[in-house]
Amino acid sequence: MTAEQRVLVTRPAGQADSLIAALSDAGFMPIHLPMLQIEPLDPLPGAQRQRLMDLDRYAHVIFVSANAARMGVERIRDYWPQLPQGQVYWAVGQSTALCLEAEGLDVRRPERDMSSEGLLAMPGLAELHSQRVLIVKGEGGRKFLEQELRERGAEVDSLVCYRRDYAAHDRQECRALLGGRDLALILVSSGEGLERLTGLLQPEEHTNLAMTTLLVPSQRVADQARGLGWTQVECAENASDAAMLAAATAWRTAHLGETQH
């Protein structure tokens, strides 16, 4: 096993299988250590249930993640076996869109910039005066999308259907794994996962590991990583399997080229 092959995947359990398979097929040696665990909110608070019952009053429904798509649609189906007509459904990224399309929804999504910023650049969300928008999401997270939609005139509500918690790990085992000298790449899928990863390390361990290349899904997370002390940061086009695999493959090609000179 060489340093060019061994990569750490930090996606939550149940959401990393396809990426791990793709990395393996490409000749990498993936190791899975989830940083976050995803738990549905059950039961939903009364205000959230009311928003589900009022689904037909929203002009736009935005799903911010694949988790939001899976758990949100499940909750929506509890109240709407037959979906209301007239809503425009939006997905921030490709995996989110695929989840919704599997449920038979017609979905709009960004083609390249799979982020809140990319979604907001789409024409259908440019002018929202007095239109009601429902954002399906997890607890916490960025407020940017909600704030920007309000500035465009929308009346915005959130349907919070899951929570993200730090995955429980034995710190010593994690440090032994993360501190291995033959670890080439760490693939991080979110800012919260990055914070968890960094927090698992003692300062002196993080100083050493900071020389390991960190592959992140956006410039925002890249900036966050550098602020946390990571020095070798590569940015994928987005968080999809294809984009992360392409970035990992490009890094390996460049790295092998450097080591051969």
Side-chain angles (χ1 to χ4, degrees):
M1 187 182 297
T2 67
E4 289 75 37
Q5 292 178 310
R6 196 166 181 258
V7 299
L8 183 71
V9 177
T10 62
R11 283 185 179 175
Q15 298 176 28
D17 293 351
S18 58
L19 177 58
I20 288 170
L23 288 165
S24 296
D25 289 345
F28 290 97
M29 298 287 188
I31 302 162
H32 187 210
L33 185 69
M35 291 294 110
L36 303 174
Q37 59 187 19
I38 309 300
E39 297 180 352
L41 291 181
D42 189 23
L44 288 177
Q48 303 295 307
R49 295 197 299 271
Q50 188 62 51
R51 287 166 189 170
L52 281 169
M53 290 186 280
D54 291 342
L55 184 67
D56 57 339
R57 300 185 181 184
Y58 292 96
H60 304 270
V61 183
I62 299 174
F63 296 83
V64 302
S65 68
N67 291 316
R70 284 188 289 267
M71 298 182 198
V73 169
E74 184 177 332
R75 292 307 179 88
I76 288 170
R77 295 290 191 191
D78 289 341
Y79 290 81
W80 296 90
Q82 186 73 29
L83 290 175
Q85 300 298 307
Q87 283 73 30
V88 181
Y89 293 97
W90 302 84
V92 169
Q94 181 183 32
S95 60
T96 307
L98 290 174
C99 289
L100 296 170
E101 288 166 356
E103 293 289 338
L105 299 181
D106 184 18
V107 187
R108 301 182 189 182
R109 66 169 177 88
E111 288 300 318
R112 295 186 64 83
D113 183 4
M114 297 182 193
S115 66
S116 296
E117 289 82 354
L119 186 75
L120 289 165
M122 297 182 69
L125 294 174
E127 174 52 56
L128 297 168
H129 182 66
S130 297
Q131 295 185 46
R132 297 188 69 183
V133 178
L134 184 66
I135 300 176
V136 185
K137 53 176 288 189
E139 280 185 346
R142 299 174 73 197
K143 298 292 186 182
F144 172 75
L145 180 60
E146 181 178 338
Q147 292 167 350
E148 184 63 27
L149 291 170
R150 285 204 171 101
E151 288 182 8
R152 298 180 183 192
E155 299 176 21
V156 184
D157 291 319
S158 294
L159 176 62
V160 179
C161 54
Y162 66 94
R163 66 167 58 93
R164 294 175 291 267
D165 291 327
Y166 285 162
H169 294 300
D170 180 276
R171 286 180 177 269
Q172 291 302 116
E173 291 180 4
C174 287
R175 288 166 186 161
L177 173 63
L178 296 171
R181 291 185 178 276
D182 60 345
L183 185 63
L185 275 175
I186 300 176
L187 277 58
V188 171
S189 56
S190 70
E192 287 172 302
L194 172 62
E195 289 180 359
R196 174 58 168 165
L197 171 66
T198 306
L200 283 171
L201 306 173
Q202 296 282 21
E204 64 273 13
E205 292 166 324
H206 181 242
T207 299
N208 294 330
L209 190 58
M211 297 306 295
T212 301
T213 301
L214 194 69
L215 180 58
V216 300
S218 69
Q219 189 58 52
R220 178 179 64 84
V221 181
D223 292 341
Q224 180 183 356
R226 293 187 180 97
L228 289 169
W230 297 86
T231 56
Q232 305 296 321
V233 184
E234 296 287 333
C235 193
E237 191 171 280
N238 54 65
S240 67
D241 288 356
M244 296 298 277
L245 177 62
T249 303
W251 176 88
R252 179 173 61 184
T253 300
H255 184 72
L256 286 173
E258 290 173 2
T259 58
Q260 291 171 356
H261 287 83

